[in-house]
Amino acid sequence: MPGVIMRAKAGQRSRSSPRESGRRDFLTAMGAVAATFALGVPARATADARDAATAAEYVDVQLLNITDLHGYLQGAPGSNSVIVGNGGRSYTVGGVAYMAAHLERLREGHPHSLFFTPGDSFSGWEFDAAAFADEPTIEALNRMGLDFATAGNHEFDKSPAMLRRHMEQGIPFPVEGRDTSFTDSSGLRFHGADFRHYSANLVRSQDGTTVLPACNIERVATADGRELPLGFIHLTAVGSERFPGSYQPGLATLDAVATADRYAALLKSQGVNAIVLSLHDGAVAGADFNSGVDPSGPALDLALRVSPDIDAIVTGHWHTRFNMMVPDPNGVPRPFVEAGCYGQVINEINLRLDPLTGRVVRELTVSTNHPNTRDVTPHPELQEVVTYWAGQATARDRTRIGQQSGSFLRARNTAGESTMGNLAADWALWAGSRPTDPENDANVHPNVPAQLAVIAAAPRVGQTVIAGDLVLDPASGGAVTFGSAWRAIGFGDPIVSAWVSGQRIHDALEEQWTTTESGELRFAPLAVSRNVRYSFDARGPVGDRVHPADVFIDGVPLDPGRSYRLAAPSYTFLASDGYPALSEFQEPYRHQRDFESFVAYVRETAVLAPQPRGRVTAAGTSSVAADVGAVVDPPVLLLPDGTPVPRPEAAITSADRPLPARGGGRPPC
């Protein structure tokens, strides 16, 4: 069957790995734990499902899933660590060591148990995972026995090759022990995932071929030794290839409903009568993690329309928590669930299969969202993983990767220029001129080196890729550490180089100024690379402050009629930060992601030296009519407890983009 992977019986493994025994041993290693597990309140398809546990004539299949872990091995950040359940009760949640303990308890008495995720397991936002190419997350999921995964948008924050060849197969990209392929908690080199990733609707734009297998079929045994197939269809959020972090010029996503219906029919034609949809897209449905109230969003729209042959719909992407039954197009209830994010919740769906036909007895279906509480004894094996990588991260944070001869600060002069902004623009030019990287296998246009670069130092909306200052530390001899570089620039988006007309570059420079409803002039300065000089008239009206003849690239005036190869973050090209003129670009080429790219820039440059300011000049400032405009730095988004929202999430939630759900809801990732 094209795009479909046949798998062994649930609970069995045909592949082996250096730690294969360790992956499952922990399921029985702990025995009873001296703690009270918080239980959710089930959602039942019908009242008959209350007695489903005693329906011995059926084959019980347990589906366990988590979503949007994002590499948070230690625990959910800030107030994300507290969720509210039935009756308003609060639970402190998160952490894979606690999750492993809960999984062990949930799996007891279920010979046919499958553990999977609808996506965004990695592209770690926690430094402990992100600093090691997300390999710690894969190790944790391997040890917890993840069976398979849907590819979310963040699984493509680097490239399809990175997902398939490194995360699945363990092939180094590019330098072993420096960029990838680190030694894990068992003392072995990273060998890749012991599970596969799937997506039915993510395709290569040039030929329409799927990047990953579309479906997988698991098999469970009946009492008389026969096998019943259970099919899983996997969908990636539509438009993922146009999200800033997962921007991939050579990929496309197909319509979700049409794709799901197509594969449901295909599975059905092959004798698969039990089908689950794992969807990396979601909805909003109230605050209670184990119910659903007034749902809305793309996943709900799909759930109401998609083939009635699909027996359950497991969602992700929206970082929300709900557990409910919704009617299929024939009016028959089926589970519609999402298990939050950052390891907050484990969803459990119990399906009963007719042993003769393999069909799901829908009226006996039960679904429960279980909080991943921290009031249990953490599993020792997973705790070792967490502790090991926390120690490795501390050491890597302090590793020297370069030197600086002075401080780089975000403090701006009258023209909006700063040494940190100049450094970022120079890095962007370097990054946009790098040779072709075999890891970036989803580019379809030539890699033409950039001729100039811009960075939004204080954008009109959204966030800036500049995260902090690089302050000289004389005591260390001006050392630039891995951690200081990592935290100075980046929120998880790649640098992109593309052809942009001179007119559009000019228009983007004009877009630095806007007038608020109250009549205040706002200034959102763009930092420019070292080979660019321009001046603006502080007396001019909005839209007429920069003359093309006053913009010089390599000493030559800007020509509005010719094209230039521009480098900027994908965030800027996609108009997420408020410069729409640059969104009209041609032949984009995706380069390395900002975190890793800036670290590589520091390594190659060796010594960072602050450049004199003077790339931008404000003319006419002595005139009484002059007004440079007020610069407003992007606000630091805070969680309810006052801690900062993770920078990748803050960049996405504050970006200039439409609100797709009724009531203003939209996914944070």
Side-chain angles (χ1 to χ4, degrees):
M1 185 186 302
V4 179
I5 299 295
M6 300 287 188
R7 286 277 306 277
K9 299 177 185 178
Q12 295 184 359
R13 293 292 180 277
S14 58
R15 62 171 86 88
S16 61
S17 73
R19 65 169 76 88
E20 182 68 21
S21 59
R23 298 181 64 225
R24 286 292 183 174
D25 286 350
F26 83 82
L27 300 182
T28 55
M30 288 184 65
V33 290
T36 301
F37 286 82
L39 298 177
V41 177
R44 298 180 174 90
T46 68
D48 292 336
R50 292 183 181 277
D51 300 321
T54 63
E57 67 270 29
Y58 299 114
V59 178
D60 176 83
V61 178
Q62 180 191 56
L63 307 179
L64 300 171
N65 71 86
I66 61 171
T67 190
D68 293 80
L69 181 62
H70 285 292
Y72 278 103
L73 305 187
Q74 295 197 51
S79 55
N80 282 297
S81 64
V82 178
I83 61 175
V84 177
N86 305 99
R89 181 180 174 184
S90 296
Y91 302 86
T92 300
V93 295
V96 296
Y98 300 97
M99 182 183 294
H102 284 285
L103 285 170
E104 180 178 69
R105 189 261 310 174
L106 289 169
R107 282 164 163 154
E108 288 179 359
H110 292 278
H112 306 307
S113 182
L114 293 164
F115 177 37
F116 66 99
T117 173
D120 283 7
S121 314
F122 61 87
S123 194
W125 295 357
E126 186 174 67
F127 181 78
D128 296 10
F132 293 95
D134 303 302
E135 294 173 7
T137 307
I138 299 297
E139 182 186 3
L141 293 173
N142 281 347
R143 289 182 179 271
M144 288 191 291
L146 193 76
D147 289 286
F148 50 87
T150 302
N153 53 297
H154 283 290
E155 266 78 20
F156 296 96
D157 277 1
K158 293 186 180 179
S159 66
M162 188 72 177
L163 176 61
R164 290 182 292 103
R165 301 186 66 227
H166 179 66
M167 305 310 278
E168 288 193 340
Q169 301 173 32
I171 298 171
F173 270 122
V175 179
E176 181 176 321
R178 187 195 73 180
D179 305 299
T180 59
S181 300
F182 301 96
T183 302
D184 68 16
S185 66
S186 69
L188 300 174
R189 287 287 186 187
F190 178 71
H191 71 271
D194 297 335
F195 54 90
R196 295 202 66 173
H197 294 84
Y198 299 85
S199 176
N201 69 324
L202 190 78
V203 300
R204 295 197 180 271
S205 57
Q206 288 187 306
D207 59 14
T209 57
T210 53
V211 173
L212 299 168
C215 309
N216 60 301
I217 298 174
E218 306 293 328
R219 298 188 179 276
V220 298
T222 64
D224 59 4
R226 292 179 300 105
E227 292 186 345
L228 301 178
L230 177 60
F232 291 83
I233 303 168
H234 303 265
L235 296 177
T236 304
V238 173
S240 291
E241 73 282 1
R242 297 287 295 177
F243 297 167
S246 54
Y247 178 69
Q248 299 286 354
L251 301 183
T253 41
L254 306 178
D255 179 81
V257 173
T259 303
D261 285 353
R262 173 191 168 201
Y263 281 98
L266 181 60
L267 288 168
K268 197 78 172 176
S269 72
Q270 297 294 320
V272 180
N273 291 324
I275 302 173
V276 176
L277 175 61
S278 180
L279 167 68
H280 192 71
D281 210 347
V284 291
D288 184 334
F289 70 80
N290 209 26
S291 67
V293 179
D294 191 26
S296 66
L300 177 70
D301 298 339
L302 177 145
L304 296 173
R305 297 169 51 206
V306 78
S307 170
D309 290 331
I310 293 171
D311 298 294
I313 299 171
V314 178
T315 75
H317 186 50
W318 280 57
H319 292 198
T320 55
R321 301 168 294 277
F322 57 84
N323 178 41
M324 57 193 299
M325 297 284 169
V326 300
D328 69 16
N330 292 337
V332 181
R334 57 187 172 190
F336 177 60
V337 302
E338 185 163 342
C341 59
Y342 309 145
Q344 296 169 327
V345 171
I346 302 169
N347 171 258
E348 176 188 17
I349 297 174
N350 293 106
L351 302 178
R352 272 76 191 187
L353 306 186
D354 184 311
L356 297 179
T357 65
R359 295 181 185 277
V360 174
V361 183
R362 287 273 195 95
E363 58 268 28
L364 300 183
T365 300
V366 181
S367 176
T368 309
N369 270 352
H370 301 280
N372 177 29
T373 58
R374 300 170 68 90
D375 58 353
V376 300
T377 302
H379 192 280
E381 182 179 334
L382 269 294
Q383 189 59 58
E384 284 182 11
V385 173
V386 173
T387 302
Y388 171 80
W389 286 111
Q392 292 293 105
T394 298
R396 190 160 173 81
D397 188 301
R398 299 169 180 167
T399 302
R400 180 176 179 139
I401 61 170
Q403 185 179 354
Q404 61 188 104
S405 60
S407 291
F408 294 86
L409 306 175
R410 289 166 291 174
R412 292 176 288 268
N413 62 14
T414 303
E417 191 180 355
S418 69
T419 52
M420 194 64 204
N422 287 349
L423 174 64
D426 290 345
W427 152 70
L429 179 61
W430 174 89
S433 305
R434 303 303 295 153
T436 299
D437 184 345
E439 174 199 320
N440 286 321
D441 66 331
N443 282 304
V444 293
H445 301 294
N447 180 12
V448 180
Q451 297 168 305
L452 73 158
V454 297
I455 290 289
R460 291 167 55 174
V461 294
Q463 298 287 302
T464 174
V465 75
I466 303 171
D469 298 330
L470 269 179
V471 180
L472 178 70
D473 177 20
S476 67
V480 179
T481 64
F482 182 96
S484 63
W486 188 275
R487 287 185 289 273
I489 285 181
F491 44 53
D493 292 354
I495 287 293
V496 172
S497 58
W499 292 109
V500 178
S501 72
Q503 183 63 52
R504 290 298 175 185
I505 293 172
H506 166 264
D507 293 347
L509 294 176
E510 294 283 11
E511 287 171 345
Q512 294 175 105
W513 292 274
T514 54
T515 304
T516 65
E517 291 183 2
S518 63
E520 180 187 27
L521 182 67
R522 294 281 295 273
F523 180 28
L526 289 165
V528 295
S529 52
R530 68 181 70 202
N531 62 327
V532 178
R533 298 287 185 275
Y534 79 93
S535 63
F536 64 87
D537 189 346
R539 299 161 298 185
V542 170
D544 190 18
R545 299 199 132 205
V546 181
H547 194 282
D550 295 328
V551 180
F552 294 88
I553 302 170
D554 292 319
V556 180
L558 178 72
D559 181 354
R562 64 164 286 195
S563 292
Y564 296 84
R565 195 69 177 173
L566 175 69
S570 59
Y571 199 73
T572 298
F573 276 119
L574 297 174
S576 295
D577 48 13
Y579 306 90
L582 297 180
S583 64
E584 295 193 21
F585 56 88
Q586 303 293 325
E587 298 186 8
Y589 187 91
R590 178 194 163 111
H591 297 271
Q592 194 175 21
R593 193 167 63 157
D594 49 26
F595 295 121
E596 294 94 346
S597 180
F598 186 66
V599 167
Y601 174 71
V602 174
R603 282 193 177 117
E604 181 169 305
T605 305
V607 179
L608 302 178
Q611 301 298 306
R613 293 182 294 183
R615 301 178 186 185
V616 184
T617 304
T621 54
S622 60
S623 169
V624 293
D627 186 358
V628 172
V631 178
V632 179
D633 285 299
V636 176
L637 302 187
L638 301 176
L639 294 168
D641 67 346
T643 57
V645 172
R647 275 185 54 76
E649 185 175 339
I652 295 166
T653 55
S654 61
D656 187 14
R657 60 197 179 114
L659 302 174
R662 185 176 70 248
R666 65 181 180 188
C669 67

